[in-house]
């Protein structure tokens, strides 16, 4: 597969039809560099469970801890290796409009199907500034708006989203503010995905969400697909609640990274400022895996608690 435009990019209809997309974790080697062999294994495990798409270098994939060159390389690698099996959504978001434009251009140049864009953070801006910022990247190709005020400290107002929905390249919005907002958008005919695993079942089946951009899917892709694709299942939703609580008891992806290391599917390497959860929480995860059944999680190795000294923490890479 070439990155020179031979691959046909997904249509807007296909992108709006995605139900289960996993925001894949980016694994590392002991020196802190990206571990592509392990990454390929992670993506293949997602494909084996039938996910519709892969979000590359998002929050869960630690795009914020990458250089732009690393990020574009990983998008290109994902397109080349898996673009015939899943849709590839690349993170192009930045608080700097100029960087967001460049990242989006580069991502589409290497073949991604769509760009995901967080709103400008820290510096923030007005509603008029948000519209101008998003129009710049929408002019390049299909875009999903990502609203996560817990990280940006700046909610994207519905008035802004509804204005941007007039643009033909707006696929929809990944919404993390709650299901009331999801339902409000879907009632107006907008395409919305929840970015919150614990709310995904009700978002999909009660509020009209198109689907889910999932963190937990890194661990239990089969169950997460069942939750948002195969019909209402409140009993499964309730069953998974303790796991959701564990994954999100610290900011994403700290607990997820720890869990994947405990399952033996990634090397126990963390780029700072992320560090593993304490040993008592690691023991809790081992108990959850035993309770739910090891076969329902990714990988095949026995789950381990791991000692503190088993983890490698890198500050420069």
């Amino acid at each position: 597969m070439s990155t020179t435009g031979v691959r046909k990019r997904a249509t807007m209809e296909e992108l709006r039809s995605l139900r289960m997309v996993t925001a894949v974790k980016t694994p590392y080697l002991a020196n802190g560099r990206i571990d592509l062999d392990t990454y390929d294994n992670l993506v293949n495990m997602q494909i084996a469970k039938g996910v519709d798409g892969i979000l590359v270098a998002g929050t869960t994939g630690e795009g914020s801890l990458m250089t732009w060159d690393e990020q574009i390389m990983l998008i290109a690698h994902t397109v080349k290796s898996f673009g015939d099996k899943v849709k590839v959504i690349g993170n192009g978001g930045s608080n700097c409009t100029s960087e967001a434009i460049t990242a989006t251009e580069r991502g589409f140049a290497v073949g991604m199907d769509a760009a995901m864009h967080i709103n400008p953070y820290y510096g923030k801006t007005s509603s008029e500034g948000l519209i101008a910022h998003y129009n710049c990247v929408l002019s390049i190709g299909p875009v999903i708006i990502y609203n996560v005020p817990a990280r940006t400290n700046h909610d994207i107002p519905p008035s802004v989203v509804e204005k941007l929905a007039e643009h033909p390249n707006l696929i929809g919005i990944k919404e993390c503010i709650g299901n009331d907002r999801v339902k409000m958008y879907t009632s107006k005919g907008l395409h919305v995905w929840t970015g919150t695993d614990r709310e995904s079942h009700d978002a999909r089946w009660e509020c009209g969400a198109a689907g889910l951009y999932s963190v937990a899917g890194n661990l239990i892709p089969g169950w997460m697909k069942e939750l948002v694709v195969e019909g209402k299942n409140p009993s499964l939703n309730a069953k998974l609640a303790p796991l959701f609580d564990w994954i999100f008891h610290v900011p994403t992806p700290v607990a997820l990274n720890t869990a994947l290391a405990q399952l033996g599917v990634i090397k126990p390497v963390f780029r700072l400022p992320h560090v593993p959860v304490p040993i008592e929480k690691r023991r809790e995860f081992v108990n959850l895996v035993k309770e739910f059944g090891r076969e329902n999680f990714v990988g095949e190795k026995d789950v381990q608690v791991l000692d503190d000294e088993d983890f490698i923490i890198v500050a420069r890479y």
Side-chain angles (χ1 to χ4, degrees), residues 55-72:
L55 173 60
V56 183
T59 304
T60 305
E62 302 183 9
S64 61
L65 305 186
M66 294 182 190
T67 66
W68 283 116
D69 284 346
E70 285 181 314
Q71 198 159 317
I72 301 302

Side-chain angles (χ1 to χ4, degrees), residues 219 223 242-243 246-247 249 255-256 258-264 277-297 301-307 310-311:
L219 296 174
W223 267 342
L243 180 61
W246 187 89
I247 293 170
H249 79 274
L256 171 69
T258 309
L260 289 170
Q262 290 183 253
L263 291 169
V277 300
I279 194 166
E280 59 270 18
K281 301 302 290 188
R282 303 200 296 269
R283 292 192 181 105
E284 285 182 17
F285 179 69
V286 169
N287 290 334
L288 283 169
V289 172
K290 291 179 178 178
E291 178 184 346
F292 288 169
R294 177 65 183 86
E295 69 278 6
N296 293 303
F297 291 78
K301 296 180 180 179
D302 290 340
V303 62
Q304 303 290 327
V305 173
L306 298 180
D307 294 325
D310 291 328
F311 291 94

Side-chain angles (χ1 to χ4, degrees), residues 29-281:
L29 300 167
N31 61 6
R33 300 291 179 87
I34 294 174
D35 182 351
L36 288 178
D37 288 340
T38 298
Y39 177 83
D40 289 353
N41 188 41
L42 295 178
V43 175
N44 277 322
M45 287 189 286
Q46 297 296 316
I47 291 171
K49 292 298 183 179
V51 304
D52 302 310
I54 297 297
L55 173 60
V56 183
T59 304
T60 305
E62 302 183 9
S64 61
L65 305 186
M66 294 182 190
T67 66
W68 283 116
D69 284 346
E70 285 181 314
Q71 198 159 317
I72 301 302
M73 177 279 294
L74 194 59
I75 293 170
H77 175 80
T78 308
V79 170
K80 182 177 181 181
S81 301
F82 307 106
D84 59 338
K85 300 180 180 69
V86 288
K87 301 299 184 286
V88 179
I89 297 89
N91 172 24
S94 175
N95 62 341
C96 170
T97 302
S98 178
E99 288 192 0
I101 291 169
T102 301
T104 304
E105 290 173 338
R106 294 178 70 189
F108 282 124
V110 298
M112 69 183 183
D113 293 293
M116 181 165 285
H117 277 274
I118 201 167
N119 50 308
Y121 44 90
Y122 183 72
K124 301 199 287 188
T125 185
S126 63
S127 292
E128 293 77 13
L130 280 175
I131 292 169
H133 171 86
Y134 276 113
N135 275 330
C136 286
V137 293
L138 282 162
S139 68
I140 303 168
V143 167
I144 301 163
I145 292 173
Y146 178 22
N147 187 37
V148 57
R151 290 184 179 271
T152 64
N153 196 33
H154 189 194
D155 180 31
I156 304 175
S159 59
V160 168
V161 175
E162 290 166 20
K163 178 66 177 176
L164 293 171
E166 298 172 6
H167 199 290
N169 277 338
L170 183 71
I171 302 164
I173 181 169
K174 175 185 173 184
E175 181 60 73
C176 296
I177 206 170
N179 282 346
D180 287 344
R181 180 72 65 86
V182 170
K183 191 170 185 177
M184 184 271 289
Y185 282 138
T186 60
S187 70
K188 297 184 178 184
L190 296 176
H191 290 80
V192 188
W193 293 261
T194 181
T196 308
D197 287 285
R198 60 165 60 93
E199 297 177 354
S200 60
H201 178 269
D202 291 350
R204 176 80 171 104
W205 304 114
E206 304 293 339
C207 303
L212 167 68
Y213 279 77
S214 180
V215 177
N218 282 276
L219 296 174
I220 48 168
W223 267 342
M224 293 312 299
K225 182 181 178 183
E226 185 176 347
L227 205 62
V228 298
V229 174
E230 298 178 13
K232 288 186 178 181
N233 195 336
S235 60
L236 178 59
N237 191 43
K239 176 180 180 177
L240 295 177
L243 180 61
F244 293 153
D245 289 343
W246 187 89
I247 293 170
F248 299 107
H249 79 274
V250 287
T252 302
V254 170
L256 171 69
N257 293 356
T258 309
L260 289 170
Q262 290 183 253
L263 291 169
V265 295
I266 67 170
K267 298 173 181 64
V269 182
F270 282 68
R271 285 184 173 184
L272 283 172
H274 297 155
V275 295
V277 300
I279 194 166
E280 59 270 18
K281 301 302 290 188

